[in-house]
């Protein structure tokens, strides 16, 4: 039962395996190790220095596991240190690695949050090359282009995202923000209404997003927010 999440019979999410799935299956192995150490200690009890062998072995194992844990914690430091080793492992064989597009996308998001926009765009582009039907990758790359004031490639990405997933209100909202940043008020209001019509309902963001600052005083803004 504890092995089910790690042998492919039951899969949670897109990943085939994950570190967190190893905790329960490891219980049996560590239980056997503990029993073996206890058995050895009992057999060697009263035999002088030889009786200390199990304890010494246990200490060595704990030290090695502590070092391995310390090194793994460094990998988990942030999204960049986490996903870079995954990407490097398949360097030159990206198209053979299932789900590697997500690794590029996730590292791109981490770079994006650090405002390393060129590097983020490069990772989003690689994700798109590996998995061209995922609208989220286009939305992320379009947002990075928009932050760089590269409006034409940003608009192309947002429109492609809409083409792939017409029901996603977030993509319509991004187009509204782009037109607002360009000073195209009527277009911005029209796309803002479309975003609401397609389910975008983050009213707090709509009210505070600086990308829409240029249209909040416009006559069309109120009706657009109201979906009219």
């Amino acid at each position: 039962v504890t092995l089910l999440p790690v042998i492919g019979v039951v899969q949670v999410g897109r990943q085939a395996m994950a570190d967190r799935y190893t905790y329960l299956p490891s219980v049996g192995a560590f239980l056997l190790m503990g029993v073996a150490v206890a058995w050895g200690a009992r057999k060697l009890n009263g035999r002088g220095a030889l009786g200390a062998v199990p304890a010494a072995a246990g200490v060595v194992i704990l030290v090695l596991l502590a070092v391995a844990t310390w090194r793994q914690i460094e990998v988990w430091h942030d999204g960049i240190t986490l996903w870079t080793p995954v990407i490097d492992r398949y360097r030159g064989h990206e198209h053979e690695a299932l789900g590697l597009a997500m690794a590029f996308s996730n590292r791109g998001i981490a770079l994006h949050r650090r405002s390393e926009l060129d590097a983020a765009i490069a990772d989003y582009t690689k994700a798109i090359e590996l998995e061209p039907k995922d609208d989220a990758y286009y939305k992320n790359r379009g947002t990075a282009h928009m932050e760089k004031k590269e409006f034409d490639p940003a608009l192309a990405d947002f429109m492609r995202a809409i083409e792939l997933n017409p029901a996603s209100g977030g993509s319509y909202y991004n187009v509204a923000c782009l037109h607002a940043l360009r000073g195209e008020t009527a277009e911005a209001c029209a796309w803002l209404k479309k975003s609401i019509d397609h389910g975008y309902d983050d009213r707090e963001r709509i009210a505070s997003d600086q990308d829409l600052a240029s249209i909040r005083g416009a006559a069309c803004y109120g009706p657009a927010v109201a979906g009219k």
Side-chain angles (χ1 to χ4, degrees):
V1 171
T2 61
L3 285 172
L4 283 177
V6 293
I7 61 177
V9 176
V10 176
Q11 184 171 332
V12 181
R14 300 171 61 184
Q15 68 281 350
M17 61 187 71
D19 290 349
R20 63 183 179 275
Y21 293 154
T22 63
Y23 296 132
L24 284 177
S26 298
V27 170
F30 282 109
L31 178 62
L32 289 175
M33 289 171 59
V35 170
V37 170
W39 178 84
R42 186 172 61 183
K43 288 291 184 180
L44 295 172
N45 187 31
R47 298 188 183 183
L50 193 59
V53 171
V59 170
V60 170
I61 291 171
L62 287 174
V63 170
L64 292 176
L65 290 175
V67 171
T69 300
W70 184 267
R71 293 181 64 184
Q72 188 64 24
I73 288 173
E74 292 179 349
V75 173
W76 290 338
H77 181 268
D78 56 43
I80 298 173
T81 59
L82 176 63
W83 293 108
T84 296
V86 176
I87 293 169
D88 289 343
R89 187 174 304 166
Y90 296 99
R91 186 71 65 185
H93 303 278
E94 292 90 348
H95 288 278
E96 301 172 13
L98 183 65
L100 193 60
M102 183 179 67
F104 277 102
S105 176
N106 287 346
R107 189 176 70 172
I109 291 171
L111 291 165
H112 198 157
R113 289 171 177 165
R114 286 169 48 166
S115 297
E116 298 181 28
L117 298 179
D118 288 332
I121 289 171
D123 273 358
Y124 294 146
T125 300
K126 191 63 180 181
I128 290 169
E129 290 175 1
L130 294 172
E131 197 170 330
K133 299 298 185 181
D134 194 316
D135 65 296
Y137 302 155
Y138 290 94
K139 285 193 290 186
N140 290 338
R141 189 174 69 175
T143 301
H145 278 304
M146 189 165 66
E147 290 180 16
K148 291 187 65 182
K149 309 301 182 185
E150 297 171 349
F151 295 126
D152 289 339
L155 182 59
D157 278 340
F158 294 149
M159 297 307 292
R160 178 58 176 157
I162 291 171
E163 181 181 345
L164 290 171
N165 186 5
S168 175
S171 296
Y172 296 89
Y173 179 79
N174 288 335
V175 177
C177 291
L178 186 149
H179 283 298
L181 289 171
R182 278 180 159 178
E184 298 164 351
T185 302
E187 292 85 349
C189 287
W191 282 95
L192 181 58
K193 181 184 181 300
K194 286 182 181 180
S195 74
I196 294 170
D197 290 343
H198 286 83
Y200 190 80
D201 60 356
D202 191 343
R203 301 290 172 162
E204 183 176 345
R205 182 182 178 186
I206 293 173
S208 61
D209 196 337
Q210 288 303 303
D211 290 347
L212 298 177
S214 67
I215 69 168
R216 288 205 178 90
C220 63
Y221 175 76
V225 171
K228 299 179 181 179

